[in-house]
Amino acid sequence: MTPRIVVVASPSEIRAACDAARSRGASVGFVPTMGALHEGHLALAREARRRAGFVAASIFVNPTQFGPNEDFTRYPRDLEGDVAKLAGAGVDVLFAPTPAEMYPPGDSTRVRVEGVTAPLEGTFRPTHFEGVATVVAKLFAAVGPCVAVFGRKDYQQLLVVRRMARDLLLPVEIVGHPIVREADGLALSSRNAYLSAEERARALAIVRGLHAAALRFEAGERDPRALEQAARASIEPAATSVDYVEARDAETLAPLTAVADRAVLAVACRVGTTRLIDNVVLGEDPPPLRPV
Ligand code: AMP
């Protein structure tokens, strides 16, 4: 039998569904997404299922987190396929609002998180995290989750959401889920659909670079520049352009002169016209390529 899932479009409907679950004594888990769902998203949904009695997901391609020359209008959309996948992962209710529902006429409030938003993505997508923080705050207000699951694929986003929830005293636990990868190591992403076969093969240089750096870290290398260089040596020849390959403090994203026991090594680059991001937390994640 196909599991049941309810799909709602308005903030009042998702609030009513989550209130009803709470009144039955269930805790509410939440997984926000932009749709075009893959196994990475579904792993988040299953994690929420383990942690909460009632699971809500959202699909909303949020216009305010896209820059003017980014892929908002052509971002992949497949609501019907997504609903079936979420039902299979045990999601109880899907919130799929329109932009007008999330940004009512005259909307003029934005959530701005400072500090952790500045480096890495903040340098290349200066308005991105304000859009993310604003929409996540609105989604949290509608759903009222006690736990929300985010992927470490968007590592900086996870830190931004944690900081926002803490600073705004939101009563929600933010859980970070490890990156889900294809068998060959490429991090799953809705944007991988943009890659041609040749570009997809080239994109593997990203995970090979992160793997090489992780091996150097395991061998005792603690110079962040040397670890970055180990990743760059693989990524630069394959990528069309590189935005950053940087080792930073895993908690604050502050720059490092030496790595102590943990650091995030984060990459953003273009392969063809597709912008891809990936990372490894040195001192925590295993080297990302599986032994063959
Ligand atoms: P998106 O639909 O791209 O906005 O992503 C929705 C959520 O899924 C975010 O918390 C992402 O970090 C997470 N996510 C996307 N891809 C992956 C992946 N390969 N592994 C783990 N989490 C992911």
Side-chain angles (χ1 to χ4, degrees):
M1 205 180 83
T2 320
R4 262 177 55 82
I5 182 169
V6 175
V7 183
V8 299
S10 72
S12 57
E13 287 171 300
I14 185 69
R15 186 171 297 118
C18 294
D19 281 348
R22 276 186 286 269
S23 70
R24 296 193 298 270
S27 58
V28 174
F30 180 43
V31 180
T33 81
M34 298 203 299
L37 301 180
H38 51 63
E39 267 305 311
H41 298 112
L42 301 182
L44 269 50
R46 288 190 284 265
E47 182 63 33
R49 179 76 282 166
R50 280 190 286 279
R51 289 171 178 266
F54 183 82
V55 177
S58 63
I59 293 181
F60 181 60
V61 185
N62 172 36
T64 65
Q65 73 189 66
F66 287 78
N69 299 314
E70 295 182 0
D71 56 344
F72 173 68
T73 48
R74 68 181 193 115
Y75 195 83
R77 290 163 169 88
D78 174 23
L79 187 60
E80 210 181 307
D82 289 346
V83 170
K85 288 176 189 168
L86 290 171
V91 170
D92 297 297
V93 62
L94 170 64
F95 179 42
T98 60
E101 269 149 340
M102 292 305 285
Y103 296 98
D107 166 87
S108 60
T109 300
R110 292 292 177 269
V111 177
R112 199 179 73 241
V113 177
E114 289 179 352
V116 75
T117 52
L120 305 178
E121 291 298 284
T123 308
F124 294 90
R125 307 182 73 190
T127 60
H128 175 64
F129 287 122
E130 184 170 303
V132 169
T134 300
V135 81
V136 172
K138 285 170 181 257
L139 291 167
F140 282 0
V143 172
C146 68
V147 57
V149 187
F150 289 79
R152 284 181 7 203
K153 162 82 165 30
D154 301 271
Y155 190 85
Q156 189 172 11
Q157 169 175 278
L158 169 64
L159 296 185
V160 170
V161 170
R162 273 213 177 110
R163 166 60 51 180
M164 176 194 72
R166 205 181 101 157
D167 291 355
L168 297 182
L169 314 180
L170 303 181
V172 55
E173 180 193 356
I174 307 299
V175 171
H177 189 285
I179 298 175
V180 178
R181 298 180 180 281
E182 304 271 14
D184 62 8
L186 186 70
L188 289 172
S189 165
S190 307
R191 290 189 169 99
N192 291 351
Y194 299 147
L195 299 170
S196 69
E198 182 269 334
E199 289 167 344
R200 194 195 173 294
R202 276 201 281 148
L204 283 177
I206 300 169
V207 65
R208 288 202 193 103
L210 292 174
H211 187 75
L215 292 182
R216 291 281 298 274
F217 182 83
E218 284 193 342
E221 181 62 74
R222 292 295 182 271
D223 173 4
R225 303 297 88 73
L227 293 162
E228 290 163 357
Q229 192 43 46
R232 269 187 186 277
S234 161
I235 296 165
E236 262 176 355
T240 307
S241 61
V242 177
D243 282 355
Y244 57 80
V245 178
E246 284 187 41
R248 291 198 164 239
D249 184 278
E251 244 61 64
T252 63
L253 301 185
L256 296 172
T257 50
V259 179
D261 47 355
R262 233 164 68 92
V264 60
L265 179 60
V267 177
C269 65
R270 263 173 225 282
V271 178
T273 56
T274 305
R275 189 170 182 278
L276 299 172
I277 61 170
D278 200 347
N279 69 83
V280 63
V281 180
L282 303 169
E284 184 172 319
D285 294 336
L289 288 175
R290 288 185 216 152
V292 274

